[in-house]
Amino acid sequence: MALRFRKSFKVAPGVRINLSKSGVSTSVGKKGLTANLSKRGTRVTAGIPGTGLSASKLYGSGKKTAVRAEPTPIWTHVITWLLIAGVLWWIFS
């Protein structure tokens, strides 16, 4: 059984400080579109609130890794852009 710890504090509208076993991070955004800044890099998450559907992409911190990742299938990019378009339409409509 894994033991996890996470605590989040709201510091301003749309800005949170997150504490966990692995360190401190900052989240900026609201439901549907969030950017999380941490030592691992920046993770952008877009989703449709209330549906459970979301897509997430990690933009690394610039550190090179020894393991080469498999190329991402094109359908994951299509789903990501559809989710982003849906969230933007929901926000601005």
Side-chain angles (χ1 to χ4, degrees):
M1 177 172 77
L3 182 63
R4 297 181 186 208
F5 167 77
R6 185 174 91 63
K7 182 65 179 168
S8 180
F9 300 98
K10 184 176 179 182
V11 294
V15 180
R16 292 185 164 277
I17 301 294
N18 308 301
L19 304 173
S20 70
K21 278 194 316 187
S22 60
V24 179
S25 68
T26 304
S27 296
V28 180
K30 60 180 189 174
K31 287 184 181 180
L33 189 60
T34 305
N36 183 277
L37 312 163
S38 70
K39 66 181 179 181
R40 293 181 184 168
T42 302
R43 179 175 297 276
V44 178
T45 304
I48 301 173
T51 64
L53 296 174
S54 67
S56 183
K57 170 92 172 144
L58 177 64
Y59 297 94
S61 61
K63 296 179 182 176
K64 300 290 182 185
T65 59
V67 178
R68 186 177 177 124
E70 292 290 324
T72 306
I74 190 69
W75 62 268
T76 58
H77 295 292
V78 172
I79 291 172
T80 301
W81 284 110
L82 287 174
L83 283 171
I84 291 170
V87 168
L88 291 174
W89 176 80
W90 176 70
I91 290 171
F92 293 110
S93 64

